[in-house]
Amino acid sequence: MSIHFDSTGMKKYCSSNTCNWCDGCGDYGIWTAIKRALVELQIPPSGVLLCYDVGCHGNMSDKLMGYRFHGLHGRVLPLAAGAKLANPNIPVIAHGGDGASFSEGVNHLVHALRSNYPITFILHNNANYGLTTGQASALTWQGQPMNSAPNGIPENTLRSMDFVFSLEPTFVARGFSGNIKQMVEIFKAAIRHRGFAFVDILQACPTYNKFATHEWLMRHVYDVAAEGHDPSDFAKARQIAVDTSERISTGVLYQDAGVPNFYERLVARQGKKAVPVEEVKKIDVSEFMRGLV
Ligand code: SF4
């Protein structure tokens, strides 16, 4: 099969830096899928902002081209939302892990969902803190021995999808790091979404996650599109997102494109033609300063 590379093709996203994830890490699949999705949407590297949290996934920040920002632990969402406010003309994609997103930065996730910021959030969900050698996260299965919790975590595992749906999201999808083709379609739909797109990617971490392995995930996931799921049905979407007892639903689970996003509801920006970055200019404050002395 021949592959045609046009001016916005995959080669444009290639970085000379070598990936250093462990063999079999699901980050390789997500890294490939996000580049492919951007190419298929005909978005060149100069037309996207990719933001990264701290974590194994954050090592992606110099493994592909594009405008990139590697932020502080748990703080990827506020910096991504701020960047989008400064320049709403380009898509902003934020990546975060399950550790930071559901512990250190969980407050930011709450407000991103209720604000419906027009950004895409890709959750690298490997159910542990891989970068810090396999500590348990809020999404680690209860009772599962981890490096920081050899007897298993005493807390309940956070029911992440129930939590997300309780905040009235406008876009929820779930993918699996072993299914690049499906991830590409999910990422494209998320990037095109009008508001906040929450994308949960179940990511294999062969080094520290010995329970939800690549093989285990392959046996449990199914594609909701193949079963005729209607993504406008909130109640059904929530039910199939939360109930993972026997099978795990993947694909676009829920979408409501009719809800205005945060910036569309921002009264101070209504009717403005320029974006805030274009409005930044030198202002002579000497008159003001004289009044202070
Ligand atoms: Fe990937 Fe896990 Fe290795 Fe991190 S520790 S690079 S998540 S396999």
Side-chain angles (χ1 to χ4, degrees):
M1 185 178 75
S2 67
I3 298 174
H4 171 68
F5 291 109
D6 60 17
S7 60
T8 59
M10 294 284 275
K11 275 187 176 173
K12 292 281 184 189
Y13 277 96
C14 287
S15 155
S16 56
N17 295 319
T18 308
C19 292
N20 54 2
W21 296 304
C22 309
D23 284 352
C25 177
D27 275 324
Y28 288 104
I30 302 171
W31 172 68
T32 302
I34 191 65
K35 290 185 290 182
R36 188 71 225 166
L38 290 167
V39 168
E40 291 191 15
L41 289 174
Q42 300 191 336
I43 298 171
S46 60
V48 63
L49 174 67
L50 297 145
C51 305
Y52 294 88
D53 210 297
V54 171
C56 291
H57 78 276
N59 291 336
M60 194 186 296
S61 64
D62 64 353
K63 309 297 185 299
L64 76 179
M65 303 309 287
Y67 289 108
R68 292 145 295 152
F69 196 105
H70 200 163
L72 298 176
H73 200 201
R75 313 300 169 203
V76 74
L77 284 172
L79 75 87
K84 184 72 179 180
L85 177 62
N87 184 359
N89 290 335
I90 66 166
V92 174
I93 301 166
H95 295 253
D98 55 285
S101 304
F102 286 96
S103 288
E104 292 88 346
V106 70
N107 49 336
H108 302 305
L109 181 58
V110 169
H111 297 292
L113 283 156
R114 65 182 277 268
S115 302
N116 201 28
Y117 294 135
I119 59 178
T120 298
F121 178 55
I122 298 175
L123 178 71
H124 293 240
N125 183 357
N126 60 11
N128 80 98
Y129 288 90
L131 191 67
T132 47
T133 67
Q135 293 172 296
S137 77
L139 304 197
T140 300
W141 295 4
Q142 196 176 31
Q144 183 63 42
M146 301 298 289
N147 281 346
S148 60
N151 300 312
I153 53 170
E155 305 95 340
N156 290 335
T157 302
L158 196 148
R159 290 165 62 83
S160 55
M161 276 298 196
D162 218 10
F163 170 80
V164 167
F165 271 92
S166 74
L167 293 160
E168 300 180 47
T170 60
F171 185 103
V172 179
R174 181 159 53 203
F176 159 47
S177 61
N179 189 339
I180 292 173
K181 193 174 171 195
Q182 185 192 42
M183 280 192 290
V184 170
E185 294 309 313
I186 289 174
F187 292 161
K188 283 161 57 184
I191 293 165
R192 283 194 290 242
H193 181 60
R194 179 182 188 179
F196 186 73
F198 177 83
V199 181
D200 180 5
I201 299 295
L202 303 173
Q203 182 195 315
C205 170
T207 304
Y208 296 116
N209 182 330
K210 306 294 185 187
F211 41 104
T213 61
H214 177 92
E215 293 73 19
W216 185 92
L217 288 165
M218 274 185 71
R219 284 197 302 277
H220 286 81
V221 294
Y222 73 98
D223 187 347
V224 295
E227 300 194 3
H229 172 61
D230 172 8
S232 68
D233 185 339
F234 184 89
K236 181 69 177 174
R238 185 173 189 166
Q239 185 245 318
I240 62 173
V242 171
D243 183 3
T244 56
S245 55
E246 294 187 4
R247 301 191 302 161
I248 301 174
S249 54
T250 61
V252 177
L253 306 180
Y254 180 69
Q255 182 168 20
D256 182 351
V259 181
N261 65 46
F262 178 82
Y263 303 125
E264 290 167 336
R265 290 184 288 202
L266 208 53
V267 174
R269 297 303 306 166
Q270 283 168 10
K272 300 268 187 195
K273 294 249 185 313
V275 300
V277 285
E278 291 162 351
E279 293 167 9
V280 174
K281 57 190 174 202
K282 280 187 180 169
I283 296 173
D284 183 359
V285 296
S286 53
E287 197 68 25
F288 173 72
M289 296 302 283
R290 266 197 291 277
L292 291 179
V293 291

